[in-house]
């Protein structure tokens, strides 16, 4: 069974290879403006409620009445009433949360006749729905070309086909009023459908398209924001954020919605700050306010209004005292705050972290690695040095100054290339046999000229005399 995921609808389409039927299933976590049902595990005393929330493409949602009494749950794909024909959507909320969601989004159900939920979608409905989805991108590209040919100052941002392919909604953005009556005629004649034009803002377009914000999370307008409140540059000034348009603007080109999230907290905290009508007067000159720490209640002053090279921190209580003195015509001798200086002296230095095990050293493996390479080289030379050390220790009785090397000689290290280790052991055995049967000098069986054997190798002469006896 092949499965195709559609992120604009939040579902997966699958085709059964045996029967050839097309089915669709809900994909949790893929919906725009998805809502977590926190009442799902609780008994619902109002389980017979007939109103359900149904989601369509991207952020478009609607509320429908289940008059047939079908057993519907969140995630079911249903066919609902439309004008004309029917549409296909996914049930996203049921039960008591539907009324709370209507209240949150500002939807007033009083005096409104809800449209009906016909049934659960059948394979034929899903096939036609899938065909309609496949036409949306090409229709959007062609409609943009038609709008450009008619010289209309508008941008068509998205196209949504109805589930039965009888109607399509064209979402557009325009700064001014646009007369698109001629456009509707051309579009209806071109695509053989009923056309509905719906104007949206830049924020709503960003919510429909989606994306990742600079904070690393999904855009708020595509995850949970339904109603967009106005954002002004005053929100950035209250929070003392740098007025950089590139930093303050979101993907929609407007001011970020998150500038309003903490604005109330900053406004409440600023009420405890003294109001300044001018600089603070001191004996050594005037000091100007440079910045403020809202939540620590500290104000920073600089002797130069155009520079922040020298900043002196003062508490709000100290600033009130200086302002009261300046109003009486008095000047302070020193602007420093004694409370802040005492607090700095009482601050304990951070404990020093000592590297007692050497875990933070980047060269901690160099010594062991070098010793491993040197030891492996001695063994890979066929046991020549091993016989030399062994013979010298056995014949002369001398001990080495590094006992760990002696242990390495007796028990060779494991190597990453076993064939070299086997070759070294074979060479060592051959040298041992030569040393025992030949010279016997403990020099690893090194061959010497025959004429010099008696003069230079005393061990060899001793061996021969003992053999003769």
């Amino acid at each position: 069974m092949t499965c195709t995921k559609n992120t604009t609808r939040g579902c997966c389409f699958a085709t059964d290879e045996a029967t050839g039927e097309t089915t669709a299933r809900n994909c949790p976590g893929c919906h725009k403006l998805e809502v977590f049902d926190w009442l799902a595990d609780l008994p619902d005393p109002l389980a017979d409620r007939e109103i359900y929330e149904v989601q369509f493409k991207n952020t478009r949602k609607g509320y429908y009445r289940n008059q047939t009494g079908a057993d519907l749950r969140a995630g079911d794909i249903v066919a609902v009433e439309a004008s004309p024909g029917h549409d296909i959507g996914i049930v996203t909320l049921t039960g008591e949360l539907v009324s709370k969601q209507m209240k949150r989004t500002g939807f007033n159900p009083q005096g409104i006749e809800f449209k009906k939920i016909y049934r659960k979608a059948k394979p034929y409905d899903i096939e036609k729905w899938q065909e309609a989805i496949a036409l949306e991108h090409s229709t959007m590209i062609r409609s943009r070309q038609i709008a450009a040919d008619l010289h209309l100052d508008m941008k068509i941002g998205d196209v949504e086909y109805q589930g039965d392919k009888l109607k399509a909604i064209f979402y557009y953005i325009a700064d001014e009023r646009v007369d698109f009556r001629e456009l509707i005629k051309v579009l209806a004649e071109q695509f053989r459908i009923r056309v509905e034009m719906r104007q949206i803002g830049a924020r709503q377009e960003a919510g429909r398209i989606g994306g990742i914000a600079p904070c690393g999370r999904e855009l708020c307008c595509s995850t949970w924001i339904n109603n967009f409140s106005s954002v002004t540059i005053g929100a950035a000034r209250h929070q003392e954020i740098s007025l950089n348009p590139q930093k303050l603007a979101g993907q929609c080109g407007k001011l970020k919605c998150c500038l309003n999230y903490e604005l109330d907290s900053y406004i409440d905290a600023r009420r405890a700050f003294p109001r300044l009508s001018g600089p603070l007067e001191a004996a050594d000159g005037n000091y100007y306010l440079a910045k403020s720490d809202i939540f620590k209640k500290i104000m920073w002053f600089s002797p130069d209004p155009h520079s922040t090279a020298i900043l002196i921190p003062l508490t709000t209580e100290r600033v009130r005292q200086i302002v009261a003195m300046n109003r009486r015509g008095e000047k302070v001798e020193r602007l420093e705050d004694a409370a802040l200086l005492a607090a700095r002296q009482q601050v304990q230095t951070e404990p020093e972290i000592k590297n007692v095990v050497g875990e933070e050293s980047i060269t901690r493996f160099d010594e062991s690695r070098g010793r491993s390479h040197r030891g492996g080289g001695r063994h890979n030379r066929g046991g020549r040095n091993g016989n030399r050390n062994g013979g010298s220790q056995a014949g002369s009785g001398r001990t080495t100054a590094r006992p760990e090397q002696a242990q390495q000689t007796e028990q060779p290290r494991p190597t990453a290339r076993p064939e070299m280790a086997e070759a070294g052991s074979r060479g060592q055995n051959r040298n041992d046999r030569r040393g025992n049967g030949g010279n016997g000098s403990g020099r690893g069986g090194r061959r010497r000229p025959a004429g010099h054997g008696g003069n230079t190798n005393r061990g060899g002469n001793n061996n021969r005399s003992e053999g003769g006896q």
Side-chain angles (χ1 to χ4, degrees), residues 29-324:
C30 297
H31 294 278
K32 300 282 195 308
L33 301 181
E34 189 166 11
V35 180
F36 177 74
D37 190 357
W38 50 276
L39 296 177
D41 298 335
L42 300 178
D44 190 1
L46 303 176
D48 57 344
R49 295 182 65 92
E50 298 179 351
I51 307 302
Y52 291 81
E53 183 190 66
V54 181
Q55 183 167 5
F56 302 94
K57 184 177 182 181
N58 289 329
T59 58
R60 186 170 75 93
K61 293 184 177 182
Y63 300 97
Y64 294 83
R65 183 184 301 275
N66 181 19
Q67 292 183 347
T68 61
D71 185 14
L72 299 179
R73 298 184 180 182
D76 291 342
I77 300 175
V78 294
V80 298
E81 180 184 359
S83 57
H86 69 274
D87 202 354
I88 305 296
I90 301 176
V91 178
T92 52
L93 271 184
T94 61
E96 180 65 20
L97 280 185
V98 177
S99 59
K100 297 184 180 296
Q101 184 75 347
M102 288 191 291
K103 182 179 178 180
R104 175 177 173 269
T105 57
F107 180 82
N108 186 11
Q110 300 296 331
I112 296 178
E113 184 178 357
F114 290 94
K115 294 183 179 180
K116 305 174 184 178
I117 297 178
Y118 289 141
R119 62 185 181 276
K120 290 186 179 180
K122 298 179 180 179
Y124 173 76
D125 299 329
I126 295 175
E127 289 180 4
K128 204 166 186 179
W129 185 36
Q130 195 173 10
E131 293 174 0
I133 293 174
L135 297 174
E136 291 176 348
H137 182 72
S138 60
T139 303
M140 181 183 65
I141 300 300
R142 179 57 183 157
S143 62
R144 289 179 179 178
Q145 295 175 356
I146 296 173
D149 295 339
L150 295 176
H151 304 287
L152 297 177
D153 188 11
M154 59 184 297
K155 174 190 174 184
I156 298 178
D158 195 9
V159 176
E160 180 181 358
Y161 266 86
Q162 202 168 268
D164 54 3
K165 294 196 300 182
L166 295 180
K167 188 178 87 170
I169 303 174
F170 292 80
Y171 298 92
Y172 72 95
I173 301 173
D175 296 332
E176 299 177 355
R177 186 177 180 275
V178 180
D179 186 6
F180 45 76
R181 289 177 293 182
E182 185 65 24
L183 177 63
I184 292 177
K185 294 179 182 178
V186 177
L187 293 177
E189 183 180 357
Q190 180 79 24
F191 303 109
R192 303 293 180 181
I193 55 175
R194 294 193 62 176
V195 177
E196 178 183 349
M197 304 296 297
R198 188 172 297 183
Q199 185 176 4
I200 60 175
R203 299 179 187 274
Q204 293 173 332
E205 183 193 21
R208 292 185 63 85
I209 296 174
I212 304 299
C215 60
R217 305 184 65 178
E218 288 188 66
L219 296 179
C220 297
C221 52
S222 65
T223 52
W224 62 275
I225 291 183
N226 296 97
N227 300 323
F228 297 94
S229 58
S230 61
V231 185
T232 61
I233 199 66
R237 290 195 177 99
H238 279 292
Q239 302 175 57
E240 297 189 358
I241 302 175
S242 176
L243 302 180
N244 187 352
Q246 296 180 353
K247 299 292 185 180
L248 297 181
Q251 293 188 9
C252 57
K254 306 294 183 180
L255 292 175
K256 294 180 180 178
C257 298
C258 56
L259 291 176
N260 285 342
Y261 294 170
E262 300 178 356
L263 180 60
D264 295 338
S265 300
Y266 277 87
I267 293 176
D268 293 340
R270 273 195 172 277
R271 294 175 181 173
F273 276 64
R275 295 183 178 181
L276 300 178
S277 58
L280 299 182
E281 299 178 0
D284 54 349
N286 296 336
Y287 289 85
Y288 303 86
L289 178 64
K291 63 177 183 177
S292 303
D293 194 331
I294 303 297
F295 298 104
K296 290 184 178 180
K297 297 183 179 180
I298 296 178
M299 306 173 69
W300 302 76
F301 291 85
S302 172
D304 187 357
H306 305 291
S307 175
T308 57
I310 301 176
L311 293 176
I312 300 177
L314 298 176
T315 60
T316 56
E317 297 297 332
R318 176 61 175 168
V319 174
R320 286 193 181 92
Q321 295 176 2
I322 297 176
V323 170

Side-chain angles (χ1 to χ4, degrees), residues 296 298 313 315 337-349:
K296 290 184 178 180
I298 296 178
T315 60
D337 194 343
L340 286 179
L341 293 176
R344 289 182 180 179
Q345 294 177 358
Q346 293 179 0
V347 173
Q348 299 180 357
T349 58

